[in-house]
Amino acid sequence: MIWSKEETLPRHKLTELQTERLKDTVARVYTNVPFYQKKFEELGITPADITSIDDIVKLPFTKKKDLRDNYPFGLFAVKKDAVVRIHSSSGTTGKPTVVGYTRADLDTWNEVMARVFTMAGVTSEDTSHNAYGYGLFTGGLGLHYGAETVGATVVPSSGGFTSRQLMLMKDFEATVLTSTPSFALHMAEAAIAEGYDIQKDFKLKCGIFGAEPTSLGLKEEVARVWGIHYCEIYGLSEIIGPGVSANCFESSDLHVFEDHFYPEIIDPKTLEVLPLGEKGELVITSLTKQAFPIIRYRTGDITSLDRTPCKCGRTHVRMKSVMGRVDDMLIVNGVNVFPSQVEHVLSNIEGITLNYQIIADKKGYLDKLEIMVEVTENMPLDSIGSLEALKKKIQHELLNNLYINAEIKLVEPRTIERSVGKAVRVIDKRNLS
Amino acid sequence: MNYTIKQLSIFLENKAGELSEFTGVLSKNNISIKSILLADSTDFGLIRTIVDNPEKAKTVLEDEGFSVRFTDVFGVKIEDVVGSFDKAVRALSKAGINILYTYSFYEANTGIFIFSVDKDRFDDAIAALQAQNIEIVQAKHFYM
């Protein structure tokens, strides 16, 4: 099943549509966003230079830093009264990144999310149990309205409270589960531990999973243990939230809804656009966004694109499941963490050095984070109680500022290995491949 | 008279060989341990020790990457009879002094109890004990 006709537009029609929409977006950001106007002038271009979608390479890139620098509303292209929703990242190193939506943007979001649900085989007869977090994070509301748009019954369960979620999934006869893949596995494990018979007690037929990099093994395990079809979804709040791309029944690669979001792959070092099939950094331009249009946004995600026809009939380009990151960002149980953010939190705590190491690992199916922190040479504390309190304080500050739950291990000064060049701040043992 | 003993507190990780690394540094540098107490939690420990040359000990330990802190403590001579420790504790308690921690060691028939109290009550503690005729060990007792 396919939700809308744009998904099967012949290539040339799609290109025409993209050209028209890009020209419109460029004109709007040039007129309404001083940041882009300045960038265009620096490059010596005007909207008149953009006559086809291929001219996109002339446009400047936008980076996460640009969003922070223009906090909160500097990149908005409409007046505040046209904005009906705001989402935001946690953002502790400096300012958070803020994104806004007009009524039309929310319609676009619902539209692309409806495509995802339809792609996963969800109809108005289904009940969708939504265990993505609600709030400033775009996951919860994105999946919520998508399911409503296709007419499914939504259970807005949000994260946590596993036992209760299992009870609701059983009693309300959920047929669709939407959550991070690691939480889906965690729930399966909890269900077995609580004595549920997964195949008998639950009516799930599919799940829509995303928000964290996921190995093929983990996907297969989620599909197997729940006995469901696994649909992967990709998105980021800077572009719209979840709903930038998703995979159909025919392929494990994800169709990018390129009538709304135009993807390119670049070499993150030279910034050259790479040919189809080559691995590089995904760059996305929004083609229809009103409140917060974004030009050539560098996602930091590494993938490749494939335009060969898909058996499902959709003509939209497919991207491979994200293989990694350009920067050192960690995704821990769906939450983005930069080592620099951890460092910032640590720098405000006395009695420890800024030599630390973050160790990401799996505990069961969930991510587990351990942070080794060196106490200073001139130890300020001389009782176990005060050292334990220091540990708790670090833990609390990280949770409060970054929403991450980390085990803290205090170590002696100079025990964390110094490397000659760049310090090894992160050890990721999760093995995604 | 100087009753201020410089106790060293050293942070240790709970892993095999840590304590021997610590004692090794001291013995290599000819430093004698007069008293030692090891407190531990699940993943780290804390050594409290009195040595004959605290300044040198701090320097050599820090050179080896240990986290070291000085804390002023005092030692009280306690006879090996029922009630003598109680007498010292009571004297402090009566003076409203909070004992942060205490530990003991023995020399022949007398024991010495090391006390740690709030910094600003150190002199009051000495005075309170002396008022009860309790003998306080002079710092030089421990030092070379």
Side-chain angles (χ1 to χ4, degrees):
Chain A
M1 264 191 321
I2 291 172
W3 178 256
S4 67
K5 62 180 191 332
E6 282 83 4
E7 292 176 82
T8 55
L9 276 184
R11 269 273 29 117
H12 70 279
K13 287 272 185 201
L14 191 56
T15 308
E16 262 173 44
L17 184 64
Q18 287 172 330
T19 293
E20 191 188 307
R21 287 178 168 178
L22 179 67
K23 281 159 68 177
D24 177 58
T25 298
V26 165
R28 278 187 293 109
V29 298
Y30 188 76
T31 321
N32 301 325
V33 186
F35 166 81
Y36 282 118
Q37 190 175 29
K38 189 163 158 273
K39 282 235 170 188
F40 282 27
E41 277 162 9
E42 279 164 15
L43 292 169
I45 55 169
T46 69
D49 292 308
I50 307 303
T51 58
S52 92
I53 189 71
D54 296 330
D55 290 328
I56 199 163
V57 297
K58 297 177 182 167
L59 296 174
F61 291 105
T62 307
K63 291 188 286 191
K64 200 178 192 87
K65 183 176 182 300
D66 298 322
L67 271 64
R68 294 209 184 100
D69 291 348
N70 289 282
Y71 176 89
F73 306 133
L75 295 183
F76 281 26
V78 296
K79 291 217 172 65
K80 187 76 183 301
D81 62 359
V83 175
V84 296
R85 173 100 62 82
I86 285 170
H87 280 279
S88 159
S89 69
S90 63
T92 31
T93 45
K95 295 294 188 184
T97 56
V98 180
V99 297
Y101 303 78
T102 63
R103 187 76 62 193
D105 291 332
L106 290 182
D107 288 345
T108 302
W109 197 7
N110 295 346
E111 154 76 20
V112 291
M113 283 308 305
R115 292 180 188 178
V116 174
F117 276 92
T118 306
M119 225 185 247
V122 181
T123 69
S124 60
E125 289 175 7
D126 286 299
T127 295
S128 185
H129 184 94
N130 188 16
Y132 279 107
Y134 281 69
L136 284 173
F137 173 53
T138 48
L141 289 169
L143 273 290
H144 179 102
Y145 286 111
E148 280 191 7
T149 304
V150 298
T153 308
V154 188
V155 182
S157 181
S158 199
F161 308 104
T162 315
S163 294
R164 212 177 115 80
Q165 299 229 20
L166 289 168
M167 183 189 85
L168 298 179
M169 275 169 68
K170 177 172 179 278
D171 295 348
F172 298 171
E173 301 185 332
T175 53
V176 184
L177 169 62
T178 58
S179 73
T180 61
S182 48
F183 191 65
L185 261 192
H186 172 73
M187 287 220 283
E189 225 180 25
I192 293 163
E194 288 185 23
Y196 286 99
D197 179 335
I198 289 202
Q199 309 291 338
K200 267 206 204 122
D201 292 337
F202 300 102
K203 301 242 176 336
L204 287 187
K205 65 173 195 187
C206 73
I208 300 174
F209 304 110
E212 61 190 8
T214 313
S215 66
L216 184 60
L218 185 78
K219 288 178 202 170
E220 285 171 353
E221 183 63 9
V222 171
R224 187 195 63 77
V225 69
W226 283 107
I228 54 173
H229 167 67
Y230 188 111
C231 176
E232 181 177 3
I233 181 170
Y234 171 83
L236 57 171
S237 63
E238 293 89 325
I239 304 302
I240 195 141
V244 172
S245 64
N247 76 297
C248 63
F249 276 98
E250 301 294 339
S251 161
S252 58
D253 295 347
L254 294 80
H255 286 284
V256 181
F257 302 122
E258 57 174 329
D259 52 334
H260 293 288
F261 318 114
Y262 186 81
E264 299 167 88
I265 299 291
I266 62 161
D267 178 329
K269 292 206 176 70
T270 64
L271 307 182
E272 292 288 316
V273 177
L274 297 173
L276 287 170
E278 275 195 42
K279 217 163 78 169
E281 181 178 359
L282 177 66
V283 168
I284 300 180
T285 300
S286 67
L287 296 176
T288 51
K289 288 266 291 293
Q290 302 295 312
F292 187 80
I294 197 157
I295 305 291
R296 301 191 88 196
Y297 183 66
R298 295 187 56 182
T299 64
D301 288 323
I302 295 174
T303 180
S304 64
L305 296 176
D306 177 7
R307 275 205 203 284
T308 56
C310 184
K311 279 193 205 135
C312 73
R314 290 178 182 82
T315 53
H316 288 184
V317 67
R318 280 172 291 164
M319 60 179 261
K320 284 246 178 289
S321 197
V322 171
M323 304 160 196
R325 294 279 309 169
V326 170
D327 52 36
D328 53 2
M329 187 177 85
L330 274 170
I331 300 178
V332 182
N333 294 320
V335 178
N336 298 351
V337 186
F338 285 95
S340 56
Q341 291 180 302
V342 171
E343 191 166 309
H344 180 77
V345 171
L346 296 181
S347 70
N348 288 323
I349 298 171
E350 275 178 64
I352 54 175
T353 73
L354 280 185
N355 286 304
Y356 60 93
Q357 206 161 49
I358 303 169
I359 299 153
D361 207 343
K362 285 275 176 195
K363 187 177 193 175
Y365 299 114
L366 295 179
D367 293 331
K368 181 191 101 171
L369 212 58
E370 183 183 70
I371 303 180
M372 301 219 297
V373 181
E374 279 182 7
V375 297
T376 51
E377 215 161 78
N378 258 311
M379 192 176 51
L381 308 165
D382 83 327
S383 77
I384 294 282
S386 50
L387 284 163
E388 292 284 6
L390 172 67
K391 244 175 80 162
K392 284 238 168 64
K393 184 185 165 75
I394 300 171
Q395 213 161 17
H396 178 82
E397 291 294 313
L398 288 168
L399 185 62
N400 236 4
N401 289 302
L402 305 178
Y403 312 132
I404 55 169
N405 215 328
E407 283 289 315
I408 305 300
K409 186 170 187 329
L410 295 178
V411 298
E412 291 164 26
R414 288 181 271 177
T415 43
I416 294 172
E417 213 179 310
R418 309 294 194 269
S419 55
V420 186
K422 202 171 176 277
V424 182
R425 292 293 183 219
V426 177
I427 297 173
D428 201 331
K429 298 178 173 169
R430 291 176 295 181
N431 203 5
L432 293 169
S433 52
Chain B
M1 303 261 212
N2 181 14
Y3 300 118
T4 307
I5 302 166
K6 279 194 183 313
Q7 172 201 268
L8 286 87
S9 304
I10 298 108
F11 176 89
L12 278 193
E13 282 166 57
N14 271 0
K15 55 183 186 195
E18 280 302 288
L19 187 58
S20 78
E21 201 181 308
F22 163 78
T23 51
V25 172
L26 295 187
S27 84
K28 208 168 63 195
N29 287 282
N30 264 323
I31 294 163
S32 170
I33 296 171
K34 298 295 176 190
S35 171
I36 186 163
L37 175 85
L38 186 52
D40 68 311
S41 76
T42 46
D43 53 355
F44 55 82
L46 195 64
I47 291 177
R48 293 180 183 129
T49 186
I50 294 165
V51 297
D52 61 358
N53 192 341
E55 299 290 347
K56 185 178 173 194
K58 187 169 195 285
T59 310
V60 296
L61 284 167
E62 282 181 349
D63 282 348
E64 291 297 323
F66 285 96
S67 177
V68 185
R69 174 200 157 105
F70 275 147
T71 306
D72 289 345
V73 296
F74 57 84
V76 175
K77 262 200 185 149
I78 305 287
E79 273 171 66
D80 190 8
V81 292
V82 173
S84 56
F85 180 50
D86 176 51
K87 192 178 168 196
V89 171
R90 238 187 245 248
L92 294 172
S93 150
K94 252 197 182 154
I97 292 160
N98 182 29
I99 300 166
L100 300 177
Y101 52 83
T102 174
Y103 53 100
S104 65
F105 60 104
Y106 291 89
E107 290 176 336
N109 286 328
T110 50
I112 296 177
F113 269 82
I114 301 296
F115 281 94
S116 171
V117 298
D118 289 324
K119 216 174 171 181
D120 55 357
R121 301 302 307 277
F122 194 93
D123 296 337
D124 298 343
I126 302 290
L129 291 162
Q130 282 174 333
Q132 296 296 315
N133 287 322
I134 294 168
E135 189 183 343
I136 302 159
V137 185
Q138 286 192 48
K140 69 178 182 205
H141 179 85
F142 296 102
Y143 302 148
M144 290 185 300

